[in-house]
Amino acid sequence: MKTALIAALLLAAPLPALADKLEDLKNVGTVRIAIGNEPPYTAIGADGKVSGAAPDVARAVFAALGVADLEASILDYGAMIPSLQAGRVDAITAGLFMKPERCNAVAYSEPILCDAEALLIPVGNPKGFKSYADFANDPNAKLGAPGGGTEEKLALDAGVPRDRLIVVPDAQSGLKMLQDGRIDAYSLPILSLNDLLSKSGDNSIEVFAPVQGAPVYCDGAAFNKRDTALRDAFDVELAKLKQSGEFAKIIEPYGFSAQAAISTSREKLCAQQ
């Protein structure tokens, strides 16, 4: 009995240390987040303010946790998880969709934003692109996608060769490359391309969606694997936001569905994709 009690105490001993991350953030008053500057997921205003659906949700949750400010770093999607693992950021709030390999690498919150893949193409879709496999099967087709992002992986998995899959650093570059004829299409989630198209004022291009054969994804705030206590505290406040209706008020003006996020779970998403 005594041995069992000692063992139980030893197992319990590390638990207070797990909560230190949140206390550290409270003391500093700022949480460092990684974003992609990809509206409507994330954005940096002309005044330098961090906005977009993902940071706005994070801001509300962290405020409830006692952390008032967000400090954002704009990173390529492929650099986000390494930066989180290295401790250069405290969380990723950037539309980083849940996939098995990412679920193994980070501690995701419950779902926040859900979307599907799309293509920005010349109006009328003259080459008839409807899937990533279509680009693989056309020996002359070039597809643009963000480096390290979901679209890049889906295209590679569909057989698009690396030399015809053009890494695009940001949405404006993708738009310009398409307009200049350097790529035949640019791939991002539906909402991102709709936002890009509406701001471009270019009537010669359109959005094709959804990409056939591509799954619907949801993201969550991503934390370092060692910060599961912080993630769990985030989840508690996120659930309160969803239940109160404030969650819908934050994300639906950006075009996202609150019900889509509420109707699924981290467990389901990490298991099925």
Side-chain angles (χ1 to χ4, degrees):
M1 186 71 167
K2 185 176 181 180
T3 301
L5 178 60
I6 292 173
L9 290 172
L10 287 173
L11 287 172
L15 292 179
L18 294 175
D20 287 349
K21 180 69 174 183
L22 178 54
E23 292 305 314
D24 289 344
L25 295 179
K26 287 181 181 179
N27 291 334
V28 173
T30 301
V31 57
R32 301 167 302 164
I33 61 170
I35 68 169
N37 199 18
E38 182 189 324
Y41 291 88
T42 58
I44 300 288
D47 59 357
K49 182 179 178 181
V50 183
S51 64
D56 283 0
V57 171
R59 182 179 286 109
V61 172
F62 277 110
L65 290 171
V67 185
D69 295 323
L70 299 181
E71 177 185 300
S73 296
I74 300 173
L75 300 175
D76 290 338
Y77 284 94
M80 289 180 182
I81 290 177
S83 293
L84 180 67
Q85 292 171 330
R88 290 189 288 272
V89 296
D90 304 306
I92 301 169
T93 61
L96 192 71
F97 294 139
M98 296 184 201
K99 298 187 291 184
E101 63 270 26
R102 290 176 178 168
C103 292
N104 291 330
V106 303
Y108 271 111
S109 73
E110 289 296 329
I112 296 176
L113 307 175
C114 299
D115 202 357
E117 302 299 342
L119 299 170
L120 190 65
I121 52 174
V123 70
N125 195 6
K127 295 188 178 181
F129 296 124
K130 297 181 179 180
S131 69
Y132 294 118
D134 288 340
F135 290 90
N137 295 330
D138 183 335
N140 298 312
K142 292 185 178 180
L143 174 66
T150 298
E151 298 78 18
E152 181 186 44
K153 185 177 187 305
L154 288 171
L156 289 171
D157 289 348
V160 180
R162 171 53 69 186
D163 64 342
R164 292 197 285 108
L165 182 57
I166 311 303
V167 173
V168 179
D170 55 62
Q172 286 300 322
S173 298
L175 173 65
K176 185 68 165 57
M177 291 171 74
L178 179 65
Q179 291 169 328
D180 292 345
R182 294 163 59 193
I183 55 177
D184 295 292
Y186 178 43
S187 187
L188 280 178
I190 295 171
L191 288 167
S192 298
L193 288 185
N194 283 342
D195 180 81
L196 182 64
L197 179 61
S198 67
K199 291 176 179 176
S200 74
D202 189 340
N203 295 324
S204 71
I205 55 178
E206 65 184 15
V207 174
F208 174 85
V211 174
Q212 293 179 0
V216 174
Y217 288 109
C218 297
D219 84 335
F223 299 89
N224 195 297
K225 278 285 192 179
R226 65 174 176 263
D227 294 333
T228 52
L230 175 60
R231 187 276 311 275
D232 292 345
F234 187 98
D235 273 345
V236 168
E237 297 302 328
L238 177 61
K240 291 178 183 177
L241 274 187
K242 290 177 177 179
Q243 186 173 15
S244 69
E246 287 302 310
F247 177 72
K249 291 180 182 178
I250 293 171
I251 72 166
E252 290 190 346
Y254 288 103
F256 293 97
S257 165
Q259 188 55 40
I262 292 170
S263 65
T264 188
S265 69
R266 170 179 61 241
E267 183 179 8
K268 291 178 182 178
L269 291 163
C270 286
Q272 72 186 18
Q273 297 179 10

